[in-house]
Short mmCIF file of all heavy atoms in Angstrom, two decimals:
data_model
loop_
_atom_site.label_atom_id
_atom_site.label_comp_id
_atom_site.label_asym_id
_atom_site.label_seq_id
_atom_site.Cartn_x
_atom_site.Cartn_y
_atom_site.Cartn_z
N MET A 1055 -42.94 -1.33 -13.17
CA MET A 1055 -41.94 -1.40 -14.32
C MET A 1055 -40.68 -0.68 -13.82
O MET A 1055 -40.71 0.37 -13.13
CB MET A 1055 -42.49 -0.59 -15.48
CG MET A 1055 -41.66 -0.52 -16.66
SD MET A 1055 -42.35 0.29 -18.02
CE MET A 1055 -42.57 -1.01 -19.12
N ALA A 1056 -39.55 -1.27 -14.07
CA ALA A 1056 -38.24 -0.72 -13.71
C ALA A 1056 -37.46 -0.24 -14.93
O ALA A 1056 -37.59 -0.66 -15.99
CB ALA A 1056 -37.38 -1.89 -13.11
N TYR A 1057 -36.75 0.86 -14.61
CA TYR A 1057 -35.97 1.59 -15.66
C TYR A 1057 -34.49 1.40 -15.28
O TYR A 1057 -34.12 1.55 -14.05
CB TYR A 1057 -36.26 2.96 -15.73
CG TYR A 1057 -37.74 3.17 -16.29
CD1 TYR A 1057 -38.79 3.48 -15.42
CD2 TYR A 1057 -37.91 3.15 -17.62
CE1 TYR A 1057 -40.03 3.71 -15.89
CE2 TYR A 1057 -39.18 3.42 -18.12
CZ TYR A 1057 -40.25 3.62 -17.27
OH TYR A 1057 -41.48 3.77 -17.76
N THR A 1058 -33.62 1.24 -16.21
CA THR A 1058 -32.17 1.16 -15.98
C THR A 1058 -31.52 2.17 -16.80
O THR A 1058 -31.77 2.26 -18.10
CB THR A 1058 -31.65 -0.23 -16.37
OG1 THR A 1058 -32.33 -1.20 -15.58
CG2 THR A 1058 -30.18 -0.32 -16.08
N ILE A 1059 -30.65 2.98 -16.24
CA ILE A 1059 -29.92 3.96 -16.94
C ILE A 1059 -28.57 3.41 -17.29
O ILE A 1059 -27.83 2.92 -16.51
CB ILE A 1059 -29.68 5.26 -16.04
CG1 ILE A 1059 -31.10 5.86 -15.75
CG2 ILE A 1059 -28.80 6.26 -16.81
CD1 ILE A 1059 -30.98 7.06 -14.80
N THR A 1060 -28.26 3.38 -18.59
CA THR A 1060 -27.03 2.80 -19.09
C THR A 1060 -26.08 3.90 -19.63
O THR A 1060 -25.01 3.57 -20.03
CB THR A 1060 -27.21 1.78 -20.08
OG1 THR A 1060 -27.95 2.35 -21.19
CG2 THR A 1060 -27.98 0.60 -19.52
N HIS A 1061 -26.53 5.16 -19.69
CA HIS A 1061 -25.70 6.24 -20.28
C HIS A 1061 -25.60 7.27 -19.10
O HIS A 1061 -26.56 7.78 -18.54
CB HIS A 1061 -26.43 6.84 -21.46
CG HIS A 1061 -25.76 8.08 -22.02
ND1 HIS A 1061 -24.55 7.87 -22.69
CD2 HIS A 1061 -26.00 9.31 -21.97
CE1 HIS A 1061 -24.05 9.13 -23.02
NE2 HIS A 1061 -25.00 10.02 -22.56
N PHE A 1062 -24.28 7.69 -18.90
CA PHE A 1062 -24.01 8.72 -17.97
C PHE A 1062 -23.35 9.91 -18.77
O PHE A 1062 -22.64 9.73 -19.64
CB PHE A 1062 -22.96 8.24 -16.98
CG PHE A 1062 -23.50 7.04 -16.05
CD1 PHE A 1062 -23.08 5.83 -16.22
CD2 PHE A 1062 -24.41 7.42 -14.97
CE1 PHE A 1062 -23.56 4.81 -15.40
CE2 PHE A 1062 -24.89 6.38 -14.21
CZ PHE A 1062 -24.47 5.03 -14.39
N SER A 1063 -23.60 11.05 -18.18
CA SER A 1063 -23.04 12.26 -18.78
C SER A 1063 -21.45 12.17 -18.52
O SER A 1063 -21.04 11.51 -17.65
CB SER A 1063 -23.54 13.51 -18.15
OG SER A 1063 -23.09 13.67 -16.82
N PRO A 1064 -20.73 12.84 -19.40
CA PRO A 1064 -19.22 12.76 -19.21
C PRO A 1064 -18.82 13.27 -17.76
O PRO A 1064 -17.88 12.74 -17.15
CB PRO A 1064 -18.70 13.71 -20.21
CG PRO A 1064 -19.76 13.68 -21.36
CD PRO A 1064 -21.05 13.55 -20.56
N GLU A 1065 -19.49 14.23 -17.24
CA GLU A 1065 -19.10 14.73 -15.88
C GLU A 1065 -19.43 13.72 -14.83
O GLU A 1065 -18.53 13.45 -13.94
CB GLU A 1065 -19.94 16.04 -15.52
CG GLU A 1065 -19.66 16.51 -14.17
CD GLU A 1065 -20.50 17.69 -13.84
OE1 GLU A 1065 -20.86 18.53 -14.69
OE2 GLU A 1065 -20.86 17.83 -12.66
N THR A 1066 -20.47 12.96 -14.98
CA THR A 1066 -20.84 11.96 -13.98
C THR A 1066 -19.92 10.83 -14.14
O THR A 1066 -19.33 10.26 -13.12
CB THR A 1066 -22.28 11.44 -14.22
OG1 THR A 1066 -23.18 12.60 -14.06
CG2 THR A 1066 -22.64 10.32 -13.24
N ARG A 1067 -19.54 10.41 -15.32
CA ARG A 1067 -18.58 9.37 -15.57
C ARG A 1067 -17.22 9.66 -15.03
O ARG A 1067 -16.56 8.89 -14.41
CB ARG A 1067 -18.45 8.96 -17.02
CG ARG A 1067 -17.55 7.80 -17.26
CD ARG A 1067 -17.52 7.38 -18.74
NE ARG A 1067 -18.79 6.90 -19.17
CZ ARG A 1067 -19.18 5.63 -18.89
NH1 ARG A 1067 -18.43 4.81 -18.29
NH2 ARG A 1067 -20.44 5.22 -19.34
N SER A 1068 -16.81 10.93 -15.24
CA SER A 1068 -15.51 11.44 -14.65
C SER A 1068 -15.47 11.32 -13.09
O SER A 1068 -14.51 10.90 -12.53
CB SER A 1068 -15.29 12.86 -15.09
OG SER A 1068 -14.12 13.30 -14.62
N ARG A 1069 -16.60 11.74 -12.51
CA ARG A 1069 -16.64 11.65 -11.04
C ARG A 1069 -16.66 10.18 -10.55
O ARG A 1069 -15.99 9.91 -9.51
CB ARG A 1069 -17.92 12.37 -10.54
CG ARG A 1069 -17.93 13.93 -10.84
CD ARG A 1069 -19.15 14.49 -10.44
NE ARG A 1069 -18.95 15.09 -9.10
CZ ARG A 1069 -19.93 15.66 -8.48
NH1 ARG A 1069 -21.13 15.72 -8.95
NH2 ARG A 1069 -19.75 16.09 -7.29
N ILE A 1070 -17.31 9.30 -11.24
CA ILE A 1070 -17.34 7.98 -10.86
C ILE A 1070 -15.86 7.39 -11.08
O ILE A 1070 -15.41 6.67 -10.10
CB ILE A 1070 -18.41 7.07 -11.69
CG1 ILE A 1070 -19.73 7.55 -11.31
CG2 ILE A 1070 -18.12 5.59 -11.50
CD1 ILE A 1070 -20.84 6.98 -12.14
N ASP A 1071 -15.23 7.67 -12.14
CA ASP A 1071 -13.91 7.19 -12.36
C ASP A 1071 -12.90 7.66 -11.38
O ASP A 1071 -12.12 6.96 -10.84
CB ASP A 1071 -13.47 7.66 -13.79
CG ASP A 1071 -14.12 6.96 -14.91
OD1 ASP A 1071 -14.72 5.79 -14.66
OD2 ASP A 1071 -14.02 7.34 -16.08
N ALA A 1072 -13.09 9.02 -10.95
CA ALA A 1072 -12.12 9.56 -9.90
C ALA A 1072 -12.38 8.91 -8.61
O ALA A 1072 -11.42 8.61 -7.84
CB ALA A 1072 -12.37 11.08 -9.79
N PHE A 1073 -13.64 8.50 -8.28
CA PHE A 1073 -13.93 7.83 -7.01
C PHE A 1073 -13.17 6.55 -7.00
O PHE A 1073 -12.51 6.16 -5.98
CB PHE A 1073 -15.43 7.67 -6.76
CG PHE A 1073 -15.77 6.74 -5.66
CD1 PHE A 1073 -15.69 7.18 -4.27
CD2 PHE A 1073 -16.12 5.40 -5.94
CE1 PHE A 1073 -15.94 6.26 -3.31
CE2 PHE A 1073 -16.37 4.53 -4.86
CZ PHE A 1073 -16.29 4.98 -3.55
N PHE A 1074 -13.44 5.75 -8.00
CA PHE A 1074 -12.82 4.41 -8.00
C PHE A 1074 -11.26 4.45 -8.09
O PHE A 1074 -10.62 3.62 -7.59
CB PHE A 1074 -13.45 3.49 -9.19
CG PHE A 1074 -14.80 2.99 -8.70
CD1 PHE A 1074 -15.92 3.49 -9.30
CD2 PHE A 1074 -14.92 2.00 -7.72
CE1 PHE A 1074 -17.22 2.94 -8.96
CE2 PHE A 1074 -16.12 1.52 -7.36
CZ PHE A 1074 -17.27 2.03 -8.01
N ASN A 1075 -10.86 5.44 -8.78
CA ASN A 1075 -9.34 5.65 -8.82
C ASN A 1075 -8.73 5.91 -7.42
O ASN A 1075 -7.79 5.27 -7.00
CB ASN A 1075 -9.02 6.85 -9.78
CG ASN A 1075 -7.50 6.97 -9.99
OD1 ASN A 1075 -6.73 6.01 -9.90
ND2 ASN A 1075 -7.14 8.22 -10.25
N ARG A 1076 -9.39 6.80 -6.67
CA ARG A 1076 -8.92 7.00 -5.28
C ARG A 1076 -9.07 5.84 -4.42
O ARG A 1076 -8.17 5.51 -3.65
CB ARG A 1076 -9.64 8.24 -4.74
CG ARG A 1076 -9.29 9.54 -5.33
CD ARG A 1076 -9.81 10.75 -4.51
NE ARG A 1076 -11.34 10.67 -4.30
CZ ARG A 1076 -12.18 11.22 -5.23
NH1 ARG A 1076 -11.64 11.86 -6.35
NH2 ARG A 1076 -13.41 11.17 -5.10
N PHE A 1077 -10.19 5.12 -4.57
CA PHE A 1077 -10.44 3.87 -3.78
C PHE A 1077 -9.41 2.85 -4.18
O PHE A 1077 -8.84 2.22 -3.21
CB PHE A 1077 -11.80 3.39 -4.14
CG PHE A 1077 -12.16 2.14 -3.35
CD1 PHE A 1077 -12.55 2.21 -1.99
CD2 PHE A 1077 -12.11 0.95 -3.89
CE1 PHE A 1077 -12.83 1.06 -1.31
CE2 PHE A 1077 -12.44 -0.19 -3.22
CZ PHE A 1077 -12.80 -0.15 -1.97
N GLY A 1078 -9.01 2.73 -5.36
CA GLY A 1078 -8.06 1.74 -5.83
C GLY A 1078 -6.71 2.08 -5.29
O GLY A 1078 -5.90 1.19 -4.82
N GLN A 1079 -6.30 3.29 -5.20
CA GLN A 1079 -5.03 3.75 -4.76
C GLN A 1079 -4.93 3.52 -3.29
O GLN A 1079 -3.89 3.11 -2.82
CB GLN A 1079 -4.79 5.23 -5.12
CG GLN A 1079 -4.51 5.38 -6.59
CD GLN A 1079 -4.29 6.83 -6.87
OE1 GLN A 1079 -4.41 7.76 -6.11
NE2 GLN A 1079 -3.99 7.17 -8.18
N GLY A 1080 -6.01 3.77 -2.61
CA GLY A 1080 -6.13 3.47 -1.14
C GLY A 1080 -5.88 2.07 -0.87
O GLY A 1080 -5.20 1.61 0.13
N MET A 1081 -6.54 1.14 -1.65
CA MET A 1081 -6.36 -0.30 -1.44
C MET A 1081 -4.97 -0.66 -1.73
O MET A 1081 -4.45 -1.52 -1.01
CB MET A 1081 -7.37 -1.01 -2.38
CG MET A 1081 -8.82 -0.94 -1.89
SD MET A 1081 -9.15 -1.66 -0.22
CE MET A 1081 -8.70 -3.34 -0.55
N ASN A 1082 -4.45 -0.11 -2.79
CA ASN A 1082 -2.99 -0.48 -3.07
C ASN A 1082 -2.10 -0.13 -1.89
O ASN A 1082 -1.23 -0.99 -1.57
CB ASN A 1082 -2.55 0.19 -4.34
CG ASN A 1082 -3.04 -0.44 -5.58
OD1 ASN A 1082 -3.51 -1.53 -5.55
ND2 ASN A 1082 -3.04 0.32 -6.62
N ALA A 1083 -2.27 0.99 -1.36
CA ALA A 1083 -1.42 1.49 -0.22
C ALA A 1083 -1.68 0.53 1.03
O ALA A 1083 -0.67 0.12 1.70
CB ALA A 1083 -1.74 2.90 0.15
N TYR A 1084 -2.91 0.16 1.18
CA TYR A 1084 -3.17 -0.70 2.32
C TYR A 1084 -2.53 -2.09 2.14
O TYR A 1084 -1.88 -2.63 3.02
CB TYR A 1084 -4.71 -0.95 2.49
CG TYR A 1084 -5.17 -1.99 3.48
CD1 TYR A 1084 -5.01 -1.78 4.83
CD2 TYR A 1084 -5.54 -3.24 3.06
CE1 TYR A 1084 -5.37 -2.79 5.75
CE2 TYR A 1084 -5.92 -4.20 3.88
CZ TYR A 1084 -5.90 -3.92 5.27
OH TYR A 1084 -6.21 -4.90 6.13
N LEU A 1085 -2.74 -2.71 0.96
CA LEU A 1085 -2.08 -3.98 0.71
C LEU A 1085 -0.63 -3.97 0.77
O LEU A 1085 0.03 -4.95 1.25
CB LEU A 1085 -2.61 -4.52 -0.66
CG LEU A 1085 -4.07 -4.87 -0.66
CD1 LEU A 1085 -4.50 -5.19 -2.12
CD2 LEU A 1085 -4.53 -5.95 0.23
N GLU A 1086 -0.04 -2.92 0.31
CA GLU A 1086 1.48 -2.77 0.30
C GLU A 1086 1.89 -2.70 1.71
O GLU A 1086 2.87 -3.34 2.23
CB GLU A 1086 1.88 -1.52 -0.51
CG GLU A 1086 3.34 -1.24 -0.56
CD GLU A 1086 3.99 -2.28 -1.45
OE1 GLU A 1086 3.37 -2.90 -2.31
OE2 GLU A 1086 5.28 -2.44 -1.34
N ALA A 1087 1.23 -1.84 2.60
CA ALA A 1087 1.61 -1.79 4.00
C ALA A 1087 1.46 -3.13 4.71
O ALA A 1087 2.31 -3.53 5.47
CB ALA A 1087 0.71 -0.73 4.63
N ARG A 1088 0.38 -3.90 4.39
CA ARG A 1088 0.20 -5.17 5.02
C ARG A 1088 1.28 -6.16 4.64
O ARG A 1088 1.82 -6.93 5.49
CB ARG A 1088 -1.20 -5.79 4.58
CG ARG A 1088 -2.33 -5.06 5.18
CD ARG A 1088 -2.54 -5.38 6.59
NE ARG A 1088 -2.84 -6.76 6.81
CZ ARG A 1088 -2.80 -7.33 8.03
NH1 ARG A 1088 -2.56 -6.66 9.03
NH2 ARG A 1088 -3.09 -8.59 8.09
N ALA A 1089 1.71 -6.09 3.46
CA ALA A 1089 2.74 -7.05 2.87
C ALA A 1089 4.07 -6.67 3.64
O ALA A 1089 4.85 -7.59 4.01
CB ALA A 1089 2.84 -6.91 1.37
N ARG A 1090 4.36 -5.39 3.78
CA ARG A 1090 5.62 -5.02 4.36
C ARG A 1090 5.54 -5.21 5.87
O ARG A 1090 6.60 -5.42 6.51
CB ARG A 1090 5.91 -3.57 4.07
CG ARG A 1090 6.23 -3.42 2.54
CD ARG A 1090 6.60 -2.08 2.16
NE ARG A 1090 6.75 -2.03 0.70
CZ ARG A 1090 7.79 -1.53 0.05
NH1 ARG A 1090 8.71 -0.97 0.76
NH2 ARG A 1090 7.84 -1.56 -1.14
N SER A 1091 4.44 -5.14 6.54
CA SER A 1091 4.36 -5.35 8.01
C SER A 1091 4.71 -6.86 8.30
O SER A 1091 5.41 -7.07 9.30
CB SER A 1091 2.98 -5.01 8.60
OG SER A 1091 2.02 -5.89 8.05
N ALA A 1092 4.44 -7.72 7.36
CA ALA A 1092 4.74 -9.14 7.62
C ALA A 1092 6.30 -9.19 7.55
O ALA A 1092 6.92 -10.00 8.29
CB ALA A 1092 4.12 -10.03 6.60
N GLN A 1093 6.92 -8.56 6.62
CA GLN A 1093 8.35 -8.56 6.41
C GLN A 1093 9.05 -7.97 7.70
O GLN A 1093 10.08 -8.47 8.16
CB GLN A 1093 8.76 -7.81 5.19
CG GLN A 1093 10.26 -7.98 4.78
CD GLN A 1093 10.65 -7.17 3.55
OE1 GLN A 1093 9.83 -6.56 2.91
NE2 GLN A 1093 11.88 -7.26 3.23
N ILE A 1094 8.47 -6.82 8.19
CA ILE A 1094 9.05 -6.23 9.36
C ILE A 1094 8.97 -7.17 10.61
O ILE A 1094 9.89 -7.38 11.26
CB ILE A 1094 8.30 -4.92 9.75
CG1 ILE A 1094 8.63 -3.90 8.65
CG2 ILE A 1094 8.62 -4.43 11.05
CD1 ILE A 1094 7.74 -2.66 8.72
N GLU A 1095 7.82 -7.86 10.73
CA GLU A 1095 7.64 -8.78 11.79
C GLU A 1095 8.61 -9.96 11.71
O GLU A 1095 9.15 -10.42 12.74
CB GLU A 1095 6.24 -9.32 11.86
CG GLU A 1095 5.22 -8.34 12.25
CD GLU A 1095 3.77 -8.81 12.09
OE1 GLU A 1095 3.57 -10.02 11.90
OE2 GLU A 1095 2.87 -8.04 12.27
N ALA A 1096 8.86 -10.45 10.54
CA ALA A 1096 9.75 -11.53 10.32
C ALA A 1096 11.26 -11.08 10.77
O ALA A 1096 11.99 -11.90 11.35
CB ALA A 1096 9.72 -11.95 8.84
N LEU A 1097 11.64 -9.85 10.38
CA LEU A 1097 12.98 -9.41 10.71
C LEU A 1097 13.06 -9.09 12.20
O LEU A 1097 14.10 -9.44 12.79
CB LEU A 1097 13.22 -8.11 9.84
CG LEU A 1097 13.59 -8.27 8.42
CD1 LEU A 1097 13.61 -7.00 7.75
CD2 LEU A 1097 14.82 -9.13 8.26
N GLU A 1098 11.92 -8.67 12.86
CA GLU A 1098 12.02 -8.32 14.22
C GLU A 1098 12.11 -9.69 15.04
O GLU A 1098 12.56 -9.71 16.17
CB GLU A 1098 10.80 -7.54 14.67
CG GLU A 1098 10.85 -6.15 14.24
CD GLU A 1098 9.69 -5.32 14.62
OE1 GLU A 1098 8.59 -5.95 14.85
OE2 GLU A 1098 9.79 -4.07 14.63
N ALA A 1099 11.64 -10.74 14.47
CA ALA A 1099 11.69 -12.12 15.12
C ALA A 1099 13.14 -12.63 15.16
O ALA A 1099 13.43 -13.53 15.95
CB ALA A 1099 10.75 -13.02 14.47
N LYS A 1100 14.02 -12.17 14.32
CA LYS A 1100 15.38 -12.65 14.19
C LYS A 1100 16.19 -12.20 15.37
O LYS A 1100 15.88 -11.26 16.02
CB LYS A 1100 16.07 -12.22 12.89
CG LYS A 1100 15.40 -12.76 11.70
CD LYS A 1100 16.18 -12.42 10.44
CE LYS A 1100 15.69 -12.90 9.23
NZ LYS A 1100 15.80 -14.41 9.08
N SER A 1101 17.27 -12.92 15.74
CA SER A 1101 18.12 -12.54 16.86
C SER A 1101 19.02 -11.40 16.45
O SER A 1101 19.13 -11.09 15.17
CB SER A 1101 18.89 -13.70 17.27
OG SER A 1101 19.87 -14.06 16.25
N ASP A 1102 19.64 -10.70 17.34
CA ASP A 1102 20.59 -9.68 16.95
C ASP A 1102 21.73 -10.12 16.09
O ASP A 1102 22.19 -9.46 15.25
CB ASP A 1102 21.05 -8.91 18.29
CG ASP A 1102 19.96 -8.13 18.87
OD1 ASP A 1102 18.98 -7.71 18.14
OD2 ASP A 1102 20.12 -7.87 20.10
N ALA A 1103 22.21 -11.37 16.45
CA ALA A 1103 23.27 -11.96 15.62
C ALA A 1103 22.82 -12.19 14.19
O ALA A 1103 23.64 -11.94 13.29
CB ALA A 1103 23.70 -13.22 16.28
N GLU A 1104 21.64 -12.69 14.00
CA GLU A 1104 21.18 -12.92 12.63
C GLU A 1104 21.04 -11.59 11.92
O GLU A 1104 21.40 -11.48 10.66
CB GLU A 1104 19.75 -13.61 12.65
CG GLU A 1104 19.89 -15.08 13.15
CD GLU A 1104 18.50 -15.64 13.25
OE1 GLU A 1104 17.66 -15.08 13.88
OE2 GLU A 1104 18.21 -16.75 12.67
N LEU A 1105 20.47 -10.57 12.59
CA LEU A 1105 20.39 -9.28 11.96
C LEU A 1105 21.75 -8.66 11.57
O LEU A 1105 22.00 -8.03 10.52
CB LEU A 1105 19.66 -8.24 12.82
CG LEU A 1105 18.18 -8.53 12.95
CD1 LEU A 1105 17.60 -7.60 14.09
CD2 LEU A 1105 17.36 -8.38 11.65
N ALA A 1106 22.75 -8.88 12.46
CA ALA A 1106 24.11 -8.42 12.31
C ALA A 1106 24.68 -9.05 11.00
O ALA A 1106 25.26 -8.45 10.22
CB ALA A 1106 24.99 -8.66 13.51
N ARG A 1107 24.47 -10.36 10.81
CA ARG A 1107 24.96 -11.06 9.65
C ARG A 1107 24.40 -10.44 8.37
O ARG A 1107 24.96 -10.53 7.33
CB ARG A 1107 24.68 -12.54 9.77
CG ARG A 1107 25.63 -13.32 10.61
CD ARG A 1107 25.53 -14.81 10.42
NE ARG A 1107 24.27 -15.41 10.81
CZ ARG A 1107 23.93 -15.67 12.17
NH1 ARG A 1107 24.88 -15.57 13.12
NH2 ARG A 1107 22.79 -16.18 12.44
N MET A 1108 23.11 -9.93 8.47
CA MET A 1108 22.49 -9.29 7.33
C MET A 1108 22.89 -7.82 7.19
O MET A 1108 22.47 -7.19 6.30
CB MET A 1108 20.97 -9.32 7.51
CG MET A 1108 20.33 -10.78 7.58
SD MET A 1108 18.60 -10.73 7.88
CE MET A 1108 17.97 -9.95 6.62
N GLY A 1109 23.64 -7.33 8.15
CA GLY A 1109 24.13 -5.95 8.08
C GLY A 1109 23.10 -4.97 8.59
O GLY A 1109 23.10 -3.78 8.24
N LEU A 1110 22.23 -5.47 9.44
CA LEU A 1110 21.05 -4.75 10.01
C LEU A 1110 21.18 -4.55 11.57
O LEU A 1110 21.72 -5.40 12.19
CB LEU A 1110 19.71 -5.32 9.73
CG LEU A 1110 19.16 -5.28 8.27
CD1 LEU A 1110 17.94 -6.07 8.14
CD2 LEU A 1110 18.95 -3.91 7.86
N THR A 1111 20.57 -3.49 12.02
CA THR A 1111 20.35 -3.35 13.44
C THR A 1111 18.85 -3.10 13.64
O THR A 1111 18.11 -2.79 12.68
CB THR A 1111 21.12 -2.12 14.05
OG1 THR A 1111 20.75 -0.94 13.37
CG2 THR A 1111 22.62 -2.18 13.89
N ARG A 1112 18.40 -3.36 14.82
CA ARG A 1112 16.97 -3.33 15.09
C ARG A 1112 16.33 -1.95 14.76
O ARG A 1112 15.24 -1.91 14.23
CB ARG A 1112 16.71 -3.68 16.51
CG ARG A 1112 16.93 -5.09 16.86
CD ARG A 1112 16.08 -5.64 17.92
NE ARG A 1112 16.41 -7.11 18.11
CZ ARG A 1112 15.85 -8.02 17.40
NH1 ARG A 1112 14.80 -7.73 16.54
NH2 ARG A 1112 16.23 -9.24 17.58
N ASP A 1113 17.08 -0.86 15.04
CA ASP A 1113 16.56 0.37 14.78
C ASP A 1113 16.49 0.77 13.24
O ASP A 1113 15.93 1.75 12.83
CB ASP A 1113 17.28 1.50 15.52
CG ASP A 1113 18.80 1.60 15.14
OD1 ASP A 1113 19.29 0.59 14.60
OD2 ASP A 1113 19.32 2.69 15.19
N ARG A 1114 17.09 -0.06 12.41
CA ARG A 1114 17.11 0.25 10.93
C ARG A 1114 16.17 -0.79 10.14
O ARG A 1114 16.21 -0.76 8.91
CB ARG A 1114 18.53 0.04 10.42
CG ARG A 1114 19.48 1.09 10.99
CD ARG A 1114 19.17 2.59 10.74
NE ARG A 1114 19.18 2.77 9.34
CZ ARG A 1114 18.56 3.80 8.78
NH1 ARG A 1114 17.96 4.72 9.39
NH2 ARG A 1114 18.58 3.98 7.40
N ILE A 1115 15.39 -1.63 10.82
CA ILE A 1115 14.59 -2.71 10.14
C ILE A 1115 13.53 -1.96 9.28
O ILE A 1115 13.44 -2.31 8.16
CB ILE A 1115 13.92 -3.54 11.20
CG1 ILE A 1115 14.91 -4.47 11.77
CG2 ILE A 1115 12.82 -4.33 10.49
CD1 ILE A 1115 14.42 -5.48 12.92
N VAL A 1116 12.85 -0.98 9.83
CA VAL A 1116 11.85 -0.24 9.06
C VAL A 1116 12.41 0.48 7.88
O VAL A 1116 11.92 0.34 6.78
CB VAL A 1116 11.01 0.70 9.90
CG1 VAL A 1116 10.04 1.47 9.07
CG2 VAL A 1116 10.26 -0.13 11.00
N ALA A 1117 13.54 1.09 8.04
CA ALA A 1117 14.19 1.75 6.91
C ALA A 1117 14.61 0.74 5.85
O ALA A 1117 14.52 1.07 4.63
CB ALA A 1117 15.34 2.56 7.41
N HIS A 1118 15.13 -0.35 6.31
CA HIS A 1118 15.50 -1.37 5.35
C HIS A 1118 14.31 -1.91 4.52
O HIS A 1118 14.37 -2.15 3.30
CB HIS A 1118 16.14 -2.64 6.10
CG HIS A 1118 16.41 -3.79 5.21
ND1 HIS A 1118 17.52 -3.80 4.40
CD2 HIS A 1118 15.79 -5.02 5.15
CE1 HIS A 1118 17.50 -4.97 3.69
NE2 HIS A 1118 16.50 -5.69 4.19
N VAL A 1119 13.21 -2.20 5.15
CA VAL A 1119 11.99 -2.69 4.52
C VAL A 1119 11.47 -1.67 3.55
O VAL A 1119 11.02 -2.00 2.42
CB VAL A 1119 11.02 -3.14 5.58
CG1 VAL A 1119 9.65 -3.54 4.84
CG2 VAL A 1119 11.42 -4.35 6.31
N PHE A 1120 11.43 -0.46 3.85
CA PHE A 1120 10.85 0.61 3.01
C PHE A 1120 11.99 1.33 2.17
O PHE A 1120 11.71 2.40 1.70
CB PHE A 1120 10.08 1.59 3.88
CG PHE A 1120 8.76 1.06 4.30
CD1 PHE A 1120 8.67 0.51 5.62
CD2 PHE A 1120 7.66 1.09 3.50
CE1 PHE A 1120 7.48 0.02 6.00
CE2 PHE A 1120 6.47 0.55 3.92
CZ PHE A 1120 6.39 0.04 5.22
N ARG A 1121 13.20 0.73 2.07
CA ARG A 1121 14.22 1.45 1.36
C ARG A 1121 13.96 1.81 -0.03
O ARG A 1121 14.51 2.80 -0.61
CB ARG A 1121 15.54 0.58 1.43
CG ARG A 1121 15.48 -0.65 0.62
CD ARG A 1121 16.65 -1.59 0.98
NE ARG A 1121 16.56 -2.83 0.27
CZ ARG A 1121 15.85 -3.87 0.61
NH1 ARG A 1121 15.17 -3.76 1.75
NH2 ARG A 1121 15.88 -4.97 -0.08
N ASP A 1122 13.04 1.10 -0.71
CA ASP A 1122 12.71 1.41 -2.17
C ASP A 1122 11.66 2.49 -2.29
O ASP A 1122 11.47 3.12 -3.27
CB ASP A 1122 12.25 0.23 -2.84
CG ASP A 1122 11.00 -0.44 -2.31
OD1 ASP A 1122 10.79 -0.25 -1.12
OD2 ASP A 1122 10.25 -0.97 -3.07
N THR A 1123 11.08 2.82 -1.09
CA THR A 1123 9.98 3.78 -1.14
C THR A 1123 10.31 5.13 -0.51
O THR A 1123 9.98 6.19 -1.04
CB THR A 1123 8.80 3.25 -0.23
OG1 THR A 1123 8.42 2.00 -0.70
CG2 THR A 1123 7.57 4.16 -0.31
N TYR A 1124 11.14 5.11 0.55
CA TYR A 1124 11.53 6.36 1.17
C TYR A 1124 12.94 6.45 1.19
O TYR A 1124 13.72 5.48 1.30
CB TYR A 1124 10.96 6.31 2.67
CG TYR A 1124 9.52 6.15 2.80
CD1 TYR A 1124 8.94 5.02 3.23
CD2 TYR A 1124 8.69 7.26 2.42
CE1 TYR A 1124 7.52 4.95 3.35
CE2 TYR A 1124 7.35 7.12 2.53
CZ TYR A 1124 6.80 6.00 2.95
OH TYR A 1124 5.44 5.83 3.00
N TRP A 1125 13.54 7.68 1.25
CA TRP A 1125 14.90 7.96 1.39
C TRP A 1125 15.22 8.21 2.88
O TRP A 1125 14.89 9.25 3.40
CB TRP A 1125 15.34 9.11 0.59
CG TRP A 1125 16.81 9.35 0.57
CD1 TRP A 1125 17.72 8.58 -0.09
CD2 TRP A 1125 17.52 10.32 1.30
NE1 TRP A 1125 19.02 9.05 0.15
CE2 TRP A 1125 18.95 10.02 1.02
CE3 TRP A 1125 17.25 11.31 2.17
CZ2 TRP A 1125 19.85 10.86 1.54
CZ3 TRP A 1125 18.22 12.06 2.72
CH2 TRP A 1125 19.53 11.85 2.45
N ILE A 1126 15.57 7.09 3.57
CA ILE A 1126 15.82 7.21 5.06
C ILE A 1126 17.28 6.93 5.26
O ILE A 1126 17.87 6.00 4.77
CB ILE A 1126 14.88 6.21 5.76
CG1 ILE A 1126 13.50 6.53 5.48
CG2 ILE A 1126 15.23 6.26 7.23
CD1 ILE A 1126 12.53 5.52 6.10
#
């Protein structure tokens, strides 16, 4: 015979919620970084002339991509 517990104490529920909250935040950070790495690669593939037309230099690509996140 199998038993299933469907009721958790508030402390247990809080610990489970905290775990999934941290896990979700980690996934968000990972997905955000992956999306931005594609943008960085696309900009790095451009020629210096193309970057100059955009007002960028190679050493400022990362700062440009993360400009809304970090004050660089």
Side-chain angles (χ1 to χ4, degrees):
M1055 179 179 250
Y1057 293 97
T1058 303
I1059 298 173
T1060 58
H1061 175 72
F1062 295 106
S1063 70
E1065 179 184 325
T1066 302
R1067 182 172 297 279
S1068 175
R1069 294 175 97 184
I1070 292 170
D1071 288 346
F1073 168 78
F1074 283 109
N1075 185 29
R1076 286 190 305 273
F1077 180 77
Q1079 288 177 357
M1081 287 299 295
N1082 285 343
Y1084 171 75
L1085 293 173
E1086 184 72 19
R1088 292 285 297 165
R1090 291 182 188 229
S1091 66
Q1093 187 179 1
I1094 290 169
E1095 289 173 10
L1097 288 171
E1098 287 177 342
K1100 293 185 180 293
S1101 70
D1102 289 337
E1104 289 174 311
L1105 290 173
R1107 281 194 294 275
M1108 296 173 66
L1110 287 174
T1111 57
R1112 292 209 177 272
D1113 63 333
R1114 300 297 299 164
I1115 289 175
V1116 174
H1118 173 74
V1119 171
F1120 286 97
R1121 68 190 177 277
D1122 64 327
T1123 306
Y1124 301 106
W1125 187 75
I1126 300 175

